[in-house]
Amino acid sequence: MSDDELSDEEYLASVRKAREESVRFFDPANKPERERWVANTFLWNLGVEFAESEIQCVADEPPDIRFRSASFEVKEILDEGRRRHADYKTALEKANSADSPRDLLEPVTPRDITYAEVCNLVETEVKRFARKYAPATRNNLDLLFYVNLEDVFGYVATPLPPPSKWEVYGFRSVSLVMGRLAGVLMAAQTAPDFLKNNGPRVILKPRDHEKNAI
């Protein structure tokens, strides 16, 4: 074993520590912290230069986050039926009872996802939230979706829907972040300048620039 390699005990300790942090992070009480992380990652992927202090949580939501003139309402899209906080608790219990790294091995079925598939998931949620918020509120909200799907490792570039697909729901802008990807699907004329770019766009960071996922 080289000096850089972990022993089995060291590896198990690092996994337990990481899973303990995940359980803490996904506790309902830490919702504002997660929303700040999502906004931070989106802006970083999009290539916006900013200071951490500019990302402000809002107590009397909506919105969840204010960043300069943006009013981000942060929503998460998970795999159907996924109960993430409970899943992390189960994973921590498994790590605590493990005697060897082999005990933590689980099957993985890596897959790619197309931009069109991502947009379909986003549209389902946009429709739902359009019914939740009054028109006057929607006009001033910048929807930001964190698409968090298991086993997705690659992206397939497919045409993005025209802005008119999203404009009918009345939000000021619709954006998403997913791993190393950031997308602005629609931005009205009243949206913050950094979101407007003469149409929808996706920016995909190189793999060595990917932020730590949650």
Side-chain angles (χ1 to χ4, degrees):
M1 184 173 68
S2 70
D3 292 340
D4 294 332
E5 292 180 344
L6 297 177
S7 67
D8 286 358
E9 292 77 12
E10 290 171 330
Y11 175 79
L12 288 173
S14 69
V15 171
R16 289 166 184 147
K17 182 178 180 181
R19 294 185 180 182
E20 285 172 357
E21 173 59 21
S22 294
V23 170
R24 182 205 66 80
F25 189 77
F26 289 107
D27 187 277
N30 287 320
K31 179 175 177 285
E33 182 180 346
R34 293 195 299 274
E35 291 166 345
R36 287 190 80 258
W37 184 93
V38 171
N40 183 306
T41 305
F42 170 68
L43 295 167
W44 191 82
N45 285 357
L46 201 61
V48 177
E49 294 186 2
F50 63 96
E52 297 279 347
S53 59
E54 293 184 275
I55 303 175
Q56 300 290 329
C57 296
V58 179
D60 187 18
E61 56 181 81
D64 295 311
I65 296 289
R66 290 200 186 278
F67 171 75
R68 299 175 186 170
S69 61
S71 297
F72 287 127
E73 185 70 358
V74 179
K75 304 297 182 184
E76 187 170 19
I77 297 176
L78 295 167
D79 303 270
E80 186 175 357
R82 185 178 173 194
R83 299 171 63 245
R84 187 180 48 195
H85 193 223
D87 290 346
Y88 277 119
K89 286 183 176 180
T90 300
L92 176 58
E93 291 173 1
K94 184 174 182 179
N96 285 337
S97 62
D99 297 317
S100 163
R102 290 188 297 273
D103 296 333
L104 301 180
L105 294 177
E106 295 181 355
V108 177
T109 53
R111 61 189 175 99
D112 293 342
I113 193 167
T114 67
Y115 293 171
E117 289 175 300
V118 174
C119 288
N120 287 340
L121 293 173
V122 169
E123 185 179 19
T124 297
E125 296 303 298
V126 172
K127 287 179 179 178
R128 184 161 70 91
F129 291 115
R131 295 191 293 268
K132 177 179 177 180
Y133 298 108
T137 302
R138 279 180 269 151
N139 287 340
N140 295 295
L141 276 185
D142 302 297
L143 275 186
L144 174 56
F145 289 96
Y146 173 41
V147 184
N148 184 7
L149 305 179
E150 293 185 308
D151 298 341
V152 172
F153 288 87
Y155 305 92
V156 179
T158 53
L160 296 174
S164 58
K165 184 181 186 71
W166 313 102
E167 289 169 350
V168 296
Y169 299 110
F171 291 97
R172 186 167 67 173
S173 68
V174 178
S175 302
L176 66 95
V177 59
M178 181 180 184
R180 55 197 176 93
L181 177 151
V184 180
L185 304 179
M186 184 278 292
Q189 288 301 311
T190 56
D193 288 341
F194 70 88
L195 294 176
K196 294 186 290 188
N197 193 43
N198 298 320
R201 71 192 189 277
V202 164
I203 294 176
L204 188 61
K205 289 281 188 182
R207 287 192 181 276
D208 58 350
H209 287 80
E210 185 170 8
K211 280 205 165 191
N212 291 331
I214 59 173

